[in-house]
Amino acid sequence: QADSMAEVGNGTLTTHVLNTASGLPAAGLVIRLARLQEPGQQWTELAQRHTDADGRCQPLLAPGQAKSGTYKLHFETAEYWQGQGQTSFYPFVEVVFIITNPAQKLHVPLLISPYSYTTYRGS
C-alpha cells in the first residue's frame, strides 16, 4: 500500500513545439493549460508558459498536480507566426486529451507549419 501511494500523482505533463517549415524549435510561443470542470463546458486555466529556445517549457503539471480528467493545451500560434514574419491559417491550436492515470508522465508535442499542425502522444 505504501508503495502504491508513493506512485500517486507523480505524473507530469510536458510539451515540445517544433516549426516543421524551418526544422527548428518554436521559441517564445505562449502555451496555456486548462482542465474541464465536469459536468459542463467550463475550462479552468492551470498554467501558462512560453517555450524556450529549444521549443520546450517547464512541465505544465508538476508532480502531484495531475488529476484524472479532460485537459486542453492552447498554443498561441498566430502570435508566433507573426513574430516569424509569416501569416498562418490557424490563429491558435487546441489539443484536448484525457488523463486517465495521474501517475503517468505525459508528453504531448506539437509540430506546426503555417498551414498544418500535428500532435501525438509522446513519451
Side-chain angles (χ1 to χ4, degrees):
Q1 182 65 29
D3 282 353
S4 69
M5 285 308 285
E7 296 284 21
V8 169
N10 275 345
T12 58
L13 172 65
T14 54
T15 187
H16 180 210
V17 186
L18 189 69
N19 175 341
T20 56
S22 67
L24 297 170
L29 192 144
V30 175
I31 303 167
R32 290 199 293 274
L33 175 71
R35 183 168 185 269
L36 185 63
Q37 299 307 306
E38 308 278 5
Q41 293 301 308
Q42 272 307 116
W43 293 92
T44 300
E45 190 168 305
L46 302 176
Q48 180 170 327
R49 304 272 187 275
H50 282 78
T51 55
D52 61 16
D54 195 33
R56 298 175 191 273
C57 59
Q58 291 294 308
L60 288 127
L61 285 174
Q65 247 197 319
K67 295 186 189 123
S68 299
T70 303
Y71 291 80
K72 173 172 68 178
L73 280 170
H74 176 101
F75 298 86
E76 291 287 355
T77 51
E79 257 176 43
Y80 168 77
W81 289 117
Q82 279 164 12
Q84 300 293 304
Q86 289 185 278
T87 55
S88 155
F89 183 63
Y90 303 102
F92 54 84
V93 172
E94 290 188 332
V95 180
V96 179
F97 56 95
I98 296 169
I99 294 180
T100 49
N101 177 0
Q104 267 178 338
K105 288 178 169 58
L106 277 183
H107 185 59
V108 183
L110 182 69
L111 311 177
I112 57 170
S113 79
Y115 299 99
S116 72
Y117 65 88
T118 306
T119 182
Y120 57 95
R121 182 176 168 172
S123 58

